[in-house]
Amino acid sequence: MLFNNKKTYISLLAGLTLFSSVGVNAFADNGAAPTKGTTAGYVDNSNPAKGTADMGKVVSGGSGKNDNIQASSDAHISIVNGYLVLETVPSLGFQDVSGKTGDTQSNTVKDNNTVLRSDTFYNSKENPNPTDLYVQDARPDAKDGGYSVNATLGNFGTYNDGGTLTPLSDTGQASDFNLNLNGSLSKDSTNVGNPTAAQNVSLPSDNKTTQTVLSNSKQGSLNSKVNFNAGSTLTVPQGIAQGNYAAPITWTLVPSTASAGADSGGHGGTTPGTTPGTKK
């Protein structure tokens, strides 16, 4: 099953609430401050203290300020066994090329701006223009059966400042771009298990070719971040008209077979990004 959300969760729950960290979260929940005449716990010097069935009761039956008072609240908890999350996916904005003979390949990622409304992180306040492919695997036990992240590049079209993509009338040109990804694991990756970032992976803009760009052989590998800014390239069709071009990248997080059967229920997730900004 695929989910197109800001964050894609593959969760194992012993309770009904999913938290953003592994472990046990517990807290006490108290009622409002005591209010004269209405809330258990308020002592009136002129009258016996009174309680409600839900919130408390008078323990000793005196008549005044020396009465003992009880009030009730609750303690509650959710138990979370673990989760697999596709936290962020990057957009890749390449340096301009002319599209003429000898100038069809851009070798420089100049920014990670999101330019299409269909982008998961378009105008995101929580994660504006993320730079990394970021997976969190907080499932228990570092056993065999990790995950992989696959990428597919859609057809290119032109886009405007409002984030709208207009398909190219020339379908041959739309599918004739080529994105070459070279990933490197970020220093803050935990490197539990065997995280592997793709090197020299070719994605034509045909909306069907799928390549693995990140994988890990162990579940419970914690944080894995891959950056594609250094060494990735984008090649455009020779002779294409001047304009701003973009295409969606679909990133699919898939638990491997052993993990899917034992822990995650076989659910995958997908979060789209874009490869924007090839200007000619």
Side-chain angles (χ1 to χ4, degrees), residues 2-4 8 86 88-92 120-121 132-134 148-153 179 181 203 211-214 226 228 248-254 268-275:
L2 302 183
F3 303 92
N4 288 306
T8 302
L86 184 57
T88 63
V89 294
S91 291
L92 302 171
T120 298
F121 296 99
D132 295 330
L133 170 62
Y134 176 20
S148 63
V149 180
N150 303 322
T152 303
L153 181 63
L179 175 64
L181 292 175
L203 288 174
Q211 298 277 21
T212 299
V213 294
L214 172 64
V226 179
F228 298 99
I249 306 172
T250 301
W251 312 81
T252 306
L253 173 61
V254 182
T270 176
T271 303
T274 64
T275 300

Side-chain angles (χ1 to χ4, degrees), residues 54-86:
D54 291 333
M55 286 299 298
K57 61 182 180 180
V58 179
V59 177
S60 62
S63 57
K65 60 184 178 181
N66 294 322
D67 289 344
N68 295 326
I69 306 300
Q70 288 183 342
S72 299
S73 63
D74 66 83
H76 49 275
I77 188 172
S78 294
I79 310 297
V80 181
N81 280 342
Y83 53 81
L84 179 61
V85 185
L86 184 57

Side-chain angles (χ1 to χ4, degrees), residues 5-267:
N5 299 314
K6 294 280 182 181
K7 294 181 181 178
T8 302
Y9 294 93
I10 300 171
S11 309
L12 302 171
L13 303 180
L16 296 179
T17 305
L18 179 67
F19 291 90
S20 60
S21 60
V22 181
V24 175
N25 296 275
F27 53 95
D29 181 5
N30 294 303
T35 303
K36 180 177 180 179
T38 61
T39 305
Y42 180 84
V43 178
D44 188 333
N45 289 334
S46 61
N47 295 296
K50 298 180 179 180
T52 67
D54 291 333
M55 286 299 298
K57 61 182 180 180
V58 179
V59 177
S60 62
S63 57
K65 60 184 178 181
N66 294 322
D67 289 344
N68 295 326
I69 306 300
Q70 288 183 342
S72 299
S73 63
D74 66 83
H76 49 275
I77 188 172
S78 294
I79 310 297
V80 181
N81 280 342
Y83 53 81
L84 179 61
V85 185
L86 184 57
E87 286 280 358
T88 63
V89 294
S91 291
L92 302 171
F94 286 86
Q95 186 66 43
D96 304 353
V97 294
S98 68
K100 297 179 180 179
T101 302
D103 189 28
T104 59
Q105 185 178 89
S106 180
N107 301 314
T108 303
V109 176
K110 64 178 183 178
D111 61 54
N112 297 103
N113 298 336
T114 57
V115 300
L116 297 182
R117 288 186 176 275
S118 60
D119 293 357
T120 298
F121 296 99
Y122 184 78
N123 285 343
S124 170
K125 294 181 179 179
E126 182 181 0
N127 288 299
N129 302 323
T131 60
D132 295 330
L133 170 62
Y134 176 20
V135 174
Q136 275 194 324
D137 186 354
R139 295 170 295 173
D141 303 325
K143 63 180 69 173
D144 291 336
Y147 64 84
S148 63
V149 180
N150 303 322
T152 303
L153 181 63
N155 296 149
F156 270 79
T158 58
Y159 70 94
N160 57 29
D161 291 340
T164 301
L165 182 67
T166 301
L168 294 178
S169 57
D170 187 335
T171 56
Q173 281 192 330
S175 61
D176 203 26
F177 290 72
N178 191 84
L179 175 64
N180 190 272
L181 292 175
N182 276 283
S184 59
L185 287 168
S186 298
K187 292 181 179 179
D188 56 350
S189 294
T190 50
N191 295 330
V192 176
N194 185 30
T196 303
Q199 298 290 318
N200 197 31
V201 167
S202 180
L203 288 174
S205 58
D206 59 7
N207 203 32
K208 60 182 180 181
T209 300
T210 298
Q211 298 277 21
T212 299
V213 294
L214 172 64
S215 61
N216 199 314
S217 60
K218 299 286 186 180
Q219 77 174 48
S221 55
L222 303 179
N223 302 321
S224 294
K225 295 183 179 181
V226 179
N227 188 278
F228 298 99
N229 287 0
S232 295
T233 65
L234 181 64
T235 303
V236 308
Q238 184 173 314
I240 194 169
Q242 177 177 326
N244 298 326
Y245 294 85
I249 306 172
T250 301
W251 312 81
T252 306
L253 173 61
V254 182
S256 58
T257 303
S259 172
D263 298 293
S264 67
H267 297 296

